[in-house]
Amino acid sequence: MPPKKKTAAKKKDGKKGSGDGLELSPEDKVKHLQCQIDSLQAQLATRTEMASSATCNREEMRQKMMEAKEQHDKEKETSLAVVRDMTRQYNAMKEQCLNKIND
């Protein structure tokens, strides 16, 4: 195998460059940072709106769930009342039949 080639020499001044080696002027830095600020503020506003919307949706769903639970409980109580009534009627008819047979 041939020997490996050496990579490019390290920077001697120790500064971390942006890659292209250009230094921004103070005015350009200010513009760049202002753009970053504007972008971050827009992201914050978007995420705040999303959080607010999610909170509102959560409350709506919670309300719907409570209403559905109440409706379920009413239906269950109605069903139970019907079963009780039918059982009572059955027992009354059974008793009548037994009384007729025994008389």
Side-chain angles (χ1 to χ4, degrees):
M1 274 179 95
K4 295 181 181 178
K5 295 182 180 180
K6 293 185 179 181
T7 59
K10 295 181 181 178
K11 293 184 181 180
K12 292 182 181 180
D13 55 358
K15 292 183 181 178
K16 292 183 178 179
S18 61
D20 57 5
L22 296 177
E23 188 66 31
L24 295 176
S25 68
E27 294 83 18
D28 290 338
K29 285 183 183 179
V30 169
K31 287 179 185 178
H32 177 71
L33 292 174
Q34 187 61 43
C35 288
Q36 283 183 337
I37 290 170
D38 293 341
S39 175
L40 291 172
Q41 286 175 339
Q43 285 180 1
L44 178 62
T46 302
R47 289 184 183 178
T48 302
E49 179 64 30
M50 288 172 53
S52 175
S53 177
T55 301
C56 183
N57 288 340
R58 183 186 69 205
E59 292 301 321
E60 287 176 7
M61 290 297 165
R62 183 176 288 156
Q63 184 65 27
K64 286 181 182 179
M65 187 165 169
M66 292 296 289
E67 290 172 3
K69 186 177 182 333
E70 289 173 5
Q71 183 68 26
H72 175 263
D73 291 343
K74 286 180 184 178
E75 292 293 328
K76 189 174 180 180
E77 187 62 37
T78 302
S79 176
L80 189 59
V82 168
V83 169
R84 285 181 187 149
D85 190 45
M86 296 298 282
T87 303
R88 184 187 54 77
Q89 287 179 10
Y90 170 76
N91 288 333
M93 289 173 65
K94 184 171 127 181
E95 180 126 358
Q96 284 177 352
C97 283
L98 289 174
N99 286 340
K100 281 183 184 180
I101 291 172
N102 290 334
D103 285 340

